[in-house]
Amino acid sequence: MRTTTTPPGDVLSAAPSWEGGIRRAALLLARLMLAYLFFVNLFWKLPPDFGCPPDFRFTTARPDGSLNRSSGLCDWIGVEEVWSTRERKLLDGPGPIEVPIGPLARLNGAIIDNVVQPGIRVFGWVLWLTEAWVVASLFLGLLSRLGGLAALGLAIHLMIGLGGISQPFEWEWGYNQMVLLSLLMVAFAPGRFVGLDAWLRPRLAARAARGSPVGRLLLALT
């Protein structure tokens, strides 16, 4: 008896029409909501000062452990640096599972100390433009897997830097869900269902079939 298998990329199209419609609608909603999340967070750190004070002072810890807050991007970068030296766990709660992330948090703190803070005027642009790219990519469904990869990197960074901290309180699962939504974008590249990727893919597939390395790369990112 001969059986057929469905290629992974055709999972949605192989479903019955009503199931496929629900799945496409869910992916579209997830894509747009993640894009909107990044969109609304562009405005509190607008270039060229990224919401920082004129001297680009970062948030620091007082001797009693409380925070001496700054503003804008300098505030949250400082918060991450302070918490990089404190005990950090994910999935911390009454359940049986907890994941210590102290080494990752300390690595994040070292990068902030040695790269981000000294180069904040450049790093701020890199961060803001990356988030703006995520917004454009996911809203338009353009190179949506690449947009998902950028969102995933940003979400993992935020989860390590801020997830579950107590001062200021940051709900861990908000960041965990950002990671999961971003993973969905990478896995399903939802722009191919309702987005510009649906128009691009046949053209890129034709270029890839002719042996174009650029065509193959861009096809993988749509």
Side-chain angles (χ1 to χ4, degrees):
M1 180 177 179
R2 185 177 178 181
T3 60
T4 59
T5 58
T6 302
D10 295 334
V11 170
L12 293 182
S13 59
S17 59
W18 66 271
E19 287 187 6
I22 291 173
R23 293 174 186 177
R24 287 182 176 86
L27 274 175
L28 175 62
L29 180 61
R31 188 188 99 201
L32 294 179
M33 292 305 294
L34 186 59
Y36 186 71
L37 174 63
F38 278 96
F39 174 72
V40 297
N41 278 283
L42 290 175
F43 296 96
W44 58 265
K45 52 179 180 289
L46 285 171
D49 61 6
F50 313 106
C52 293
D55 61 354
F56 281 81
R57 177 183 63 82
F58 295 94
T59 292
T60 56
R62 297 187 179 95
D64 64 359
S66 63
L67 298 181
N68 181 22
R69 302 293 294 268
S70 180
S71 62
L73 188 59
C74 292
D75 179 34
W76 288 103
I77 287 176
V79 170
E80 286 191 52
E81 195 279 330
V82 169
W83 276 94
S84 70
T85 63
R86 300 178 179 180
E87 183 180 7
R88 295 290 311 286
K89 296 177 182 178
L90 293 179
L91 306 180
D92 189 16
I97 300 174
E98 59 182 35
V99 182
I101 59 166
L104 289 174
R106 287 190 290 274
L107 175 61
N108 183 53
I111 294 171
I112 288 173
D113 276 341
N114 296 290
V115 179
V116 175
Q117 289 184 347
I120 183 61
R121 289 170 175 82
V122 174
F123 175 81
W125 275 105
V126 172
L127 176 63
W128 195 87
L129 290 173
T130 301
E131 293 191 12
W133 158 249
V134 171
V135 172
S137 171
L138 296 183
F139 264 135
L140 299 174
L142 174 64
L143 299 178
S144 54
R145 179 165 283 142
L146 180 59
L149 283 169
L152 181 61
L154 292 166
I156 290 173
H157 166 78
L158 290 170
M159 181 180 68
I160 292 170
L162 297 172
I165 66 173
S166 59
Q167 183 195 3
F169 175 74
E170 292 291 307
W171 187 49
E172 176 193 332
W173 280 98
Y175 297 102
N176 296 349
Q177 289 172 36
M178 282 182 67
V179 171
L180 292 174
L181 276 176
S182 300
L183 277 172
L184 285 177
M185 301 303 105
V186 175
F188 290 101
R192 66 181 63 179
F193 306 116
V194 182
L196 293 179
D197 285 349
W199 179 84
L200 277 176
R201 280 184 64 79
R203 292 155 179 81
L204 293 173
R207 293 192 63 179
R210 293 195 295 269
S212 167
V214 174
R216 288 196 295 268
L217 174 62
L218 293 178
L219 184 64
L221 295 175
T222 61

